[in-house]
Each structure stands twice: as C-alpha cells, then as structure tokens.
Amino acid sequence: MSAEGGAAGYRIQFAEGGPEFACMPGDTMLRAALRSGVSLPYECASGGCGACRVQLKSGEVEDLWPQAPGLPTRSRDRGYRLACQVRPHSDCTIAVRLPAATEPSVRPRRQRAKLLSRETLTADMAQFSFAADAAEFLPGQFALLSLPGVTGDRAYSMCNLANKDGEWRFTIKQMVNGAGGKVLFDNMNVGDEIVLDGPYGLSYLRASSPRNIVCIAGGSGLSPVLSILAGAVRSGHAERKLTLFFGGRRPADLCADHLIARDELLDARLTRHYAISDLENSEGWDGERGFIHEVARRHIEAGGDPAGNDYYFCGPPPMTDAVQRMLLELKVPVNQIFYDRFV
Ligand SMILES: Cc1cc2nc3c(=O)[nH]c(=O)nc-3n(C[C@H](O)[C@H](O)[C@H](O)COP(=O)(O)OP(=O)(O)OC[C@H]3O[C@@H](n4cnc5c(N)ncnc54)[C@H](O)[C@@H]3O)c2cc1C
Ligand code: FES
C-alpha cells in the first residue's frame, strides 16, 4: 500500500505475525482494528487507561493527544503509542500482546446522530437520546461522541438496549469545566447532529451466565448498569437474582428509582440499595450511608456466597478501584468481574 493510503487504507501488521488489518485514512489504529474484527487490547478508547499501548516498529502516525494520561513520557520515548490516540499516515508494523478474549459480535461504525431529547435528572445529570440509522450494541457498551468544537471524542455508555428505531440513550453527568459536557448540556438543541461511533467496550452483559448479577454504580456509572440490568431481565434465567447498589453524594443525586420504574419487568425483579456518601448533606435521608463499595460489601458478605455472583460496576476511578480490590479480597474469580472506569 502507498504512503497515501487509498481506497483499501493503510496496512497494519503485527511484528510477531498474525492477523493484519486495514486502517482507512482518518481512522485511529484501535478503531480500525475493531472494525476489522481484530481484537487489540483496550478499555476506555479515550486515552486514559493505557490498555491499548502498542510499540510502533515502523510507519508514520499522527498523535491525536500527545499528553494523554494513559502513556507516560518514558514509554513514548521508547516507541510506545496509544492505539486509540494514533492515526496512521502510512503502512505500519506494531508489536503488541493480543488478548485471548475475542471481541463482541457487533463491530463499531461511525454514523450521524440527531439529538431527540434531553431530560434533566439531577442538578448535574441528564438523559440524552439520539437517533441514528441503527442502534446495535450489547448491554453495557459505550459509544464515542464527536461533539462540535470539542477536540477528542468523549465516551458515554448507553443506558437503553439495542433497538430497531436507531435510538442511543445516555445518562450523562456534567463535569465541572468539561468541554464536552458544556456542548451537550448548554449548547446543543433538539435536532442538532453529532457523529457517533460505536459500539465499544468489553464489560458487556454475559447473558448466558446463570449466576446472580450484582451491579454497583457511582453517579453516571448508572448508565451502563441500567442497560445491563434491562438486558439481564430479558435474557431468561428467571431464577437469577438481580441486585443494584447505587451511590451518590447527596439524596438528590439518587435518580435511579424513577428510571427503573419505566421498565416494568426490571422494576418487579430488582433488589435495590441506595447510599449517600456526603454525610454533611444528608438531611431527610434515612437510607444507607457511606461509600457505595462499603455498603455493597456489607450486603455481599451477609449473602454468604460472594463468588456466586457476576459483578458489573462503573463509575469514577476511585470507586471502581475500591470495588475491584473488595471483590478480589472476597475471592471472586476475575472472570466474573466486569467494569468500566470513567477516566
Ligand atoms: C468507557 C467509558 C464510559 C463512560 N460512560 C459515561 C457515561 O455513561 N456517562 C457519563 O457521564 N460519563 C461517562 N464516562 C466519562 C466521560 O467520558 C467523561 O466524563 C467525559 O469524557 C467528560 O468529558 P468533558 O469534555 O465534559 O470533560 P473534559 O475534562 O473536557 O474532558 C475529559 C476527557 O476528555 C478526553 N480529552 C480531553 N482532552 C482531549 C484531547 N485533546 N484529545 C482527546 N481526548 C481528550 C479525555 O478522555 C479526558 O479525560 C465514560 C468514560 C469511559 C472511559
Ligand atoms: S484504550 Fe487507549 S488509553 Fe484506554
């Protein structure tokens, strides 16, 4: 392939041999691999985690975010790059250890999506609904949104299920001074268009597992967990117990109940535990208090069989790190643990 790419794209090969794939000009190395069905390792697809690190042996790439926190300068100097943050400008050869697990069946694609509605949930959270040509994804996956005037795509997890109407729904928290949040919450109007790329993500519902399901969410970590629970309640296994632990800082942050009430099947089957962590602002709250992983631990230990459940959890890194540590201490096998860190 020529250095200009072309209709067939640039050829990306592995130094150790194995599958090669084409990367169309403008695409990132990671997304091109996943679109071709090649399983490069990754987690966030947003430059934050470092899981997609590859060593560039030959070829030219454009670095979309040289300061991305997922890659220390020392690794960059040794020729490493983040596959989710590089755009090839020639054929390339890379060295990387390929994961044993295979990709989910739905391959990601880019499409235009129109804002259908924005529903306020709390002081800093809202539900956004977008219409695209197709909405194919697994419960728990996420999409990368390219927002007008914002450098770099933003990852948001779907809170609904795949559907024929092409609807992608997200529960989103507005971060202080966040560029993407500003566009979504303040600048966009119903009918405005964005580019949506997805689905991505490996912490999707393992629907055929017969084990009980425990979901733990902090803040906007509720989004993928709503999708996972909605998928689980429709995937047979009527005897399977479904439990949600949802934590916020203040009582007003706990917006899960009225969203769950919209899904009759889930509402009837789901056991819920809500907790607040800001004890100074707990007026009128007679529920549980403390960090959500501490509350979850009490209940999981009281249940007597921590390893009898599959665990799905999402939220900010301090929360997901704490839950991960807790589950390892409780001797839950790693193949029953699925999570997204909202880096
Ligand atoms: C897998 C995953 C799923 C997520 N799901 C949800 C969800 O369902 N709901 C939710 O509210 N949040 C979710 N998040 C978190 C969400 O992506 C961040 O809160 C969001 O990126 C904040 O964007 P911002 O523009 O408002 O903030 P900013 O502070 O402006 O940007 C934050 C992030 O944007 C990216 N970024 C910043 N600058 C650049 C650049 N120059 N080039 C490329 N990238 C850049 C980085 O990822 C950075 O960490 C998820 C995160 C991940 C990783
Ligand atoms: S997948 Fe590339 S940094 Fe997380």
Side-chain angles (χ1 to χ4, degrees):
M1 183 56 44
S2 75
E4 286 79 39
Y10 300 117
R11 205 169 63 188
I12 314 296
Q13 292 176 294
F14 294 93
E16 303 86 353
E20 58 177 60
F21 62 93
C23 182
M24 300 313 285
D27 216 355
T28 69
M29 196 181 275
L30 174 69
R31 298 192 206 186
L34 301 178
R35 288 190 221 290
S36 312
V38 173
S39 304
L40 282 187
Y42 79 108
E43 276 177 29
C44 71
S46 319
C49 73
C52 66
R53 206 176 77 139
V54 299
Q55 195 171 22
L56 188 64
K57 295 288 192 184
S58 70
E60 275 179 47
V61 296
E62 174 192 354
D63 221 323
L64 297 178
W65 191 16
Q67 302 79 25
L71 191 68
T73 312
R74 201 151 33 101
S75 301
R76 181 176 297 280
D77 293 345
R78 286 167 45 215
Y80 287 94
R81 293 291 180 271
L82 296 175
C84 73
Q85 298 299 325
V86 292
R87 201 177 266 163
H89 284 295
S90 72
D91 293 348
C92 293
T93 303
I94 55 173
V96 59
R97 189 175 301 182
L98 292 175
T102 50
E103 286 303 316
S105 49
V106 191
R107 292 192 188 174
R109 57 178 274 211
R110 281 170 78 84
Q111 39 184 336
R112 299 203 72 79
K114 196 178 272 190
L115 182 63
L116 284 180
S117 65
R118 172 175 44 218
E119 178 192 358
T120 300
L121 299 176
T122 70
D124 58 4
M125 268 169 51
Q127 206 162 73
F128 293 79
S129 183
F130 287 90
D133 284 344
E136 285 181 54
F137 51 85
L138 299 172
Q141 288 195 291
F142 64 92
L144 294 166
L145 306 191
S146 173
L147 300 165
V150 178
T151 308
D153 292 357
R154 301 299 192 255
Y156 295 109
S157 311
M158 286 68 82
C159 58
N160 63 336
L161 293 175
N163 60 85
K164 292 203 165 52
D165 302 330
E167 186 196 358
W168 299 67
R169 206 181 313 146
F170 307 93
T171 301
I172 296 179
K173 179 170 174 146
Q174 185 166 22
M175 308 307 286
V176 178
N177 299 325
K182 172 122 191 81
V183 169
L184 282 163
F185 280 78
D186 300 340
N187 300 355
M188 279 191 75
N189 296 311
V190 167
D192 287 351
E193 281 196 352
I194 61 163
V195 175
L196 180 157
D197 191 350
Y200 294 95
L202 302 176
S203 67
Y204 54 88
L205 172 69
R206 271 49 176 187
S208 61
S209 164
R211 282 182 285 271
N212 297 329
I213 290 181
V214 174
C215 289
I216 308 172
S220 55
L222 184 64
S223 199
V225 153
L226 285 174
S227 176
I228 286 167
L229 289 167
V233 83
R234 289 167 176 80
S235 63
H237 303 293
E239 72 299 341
R240 180 160 64 185
K241 283 197 213 136
L242 305 176
T243 306
L244 168 66
F245 294 93
F246 177 48
R249 292 187 59 225
R250 286 157 299 202
D253 296 331
L254 299 177
C255 57
D257 254 349
H258 90 272
L259 296 175
I260 293 164
R262 295 174 184 173
D263 181 339
E264 273 178 40
L265 285 180
L266 184 59
D267 201 23
R269 262 200 46 205
L270 183 65
T271 302
R272 292 152 237 194
H273 302 277
Y274 301 143
I276 55 156
S277 58
D278 180 356
L279 305 185
E280 309 281 292
N281 290 293
S282 58
E283 212 169 296
W285 177 253
D286 58 4
E288 302 202 51
R289 289 150 193 266
F291 290 116
I292 196 61
H293 69 278
E294 298 165 343
V295 173
R297 182 175 192 137
R298 286 202 291 275
H299 288 273
I300 292 165
E301 284 187 312
D305 182 20
N309 309 311
D310 287 338
Y311 294 87
Y312 297 89
F313 51 99
C314 302
M319 178 242 152
T320 53
D321 292 350
V323 175
Q324 208 182 354
R325 271 195 307 276
M326 182 251 299
L327 294 178
L328 294 178
E329 281 165 23
L330 294 176
K331 308 234 172 338
V332 176
V334 287
N335 64 351
Q336 292 168 221
I337 299 177
F338 309 98
Y339 61 94
D340 272 325
R341 297 166 92 237
F342 286 3
V343 288

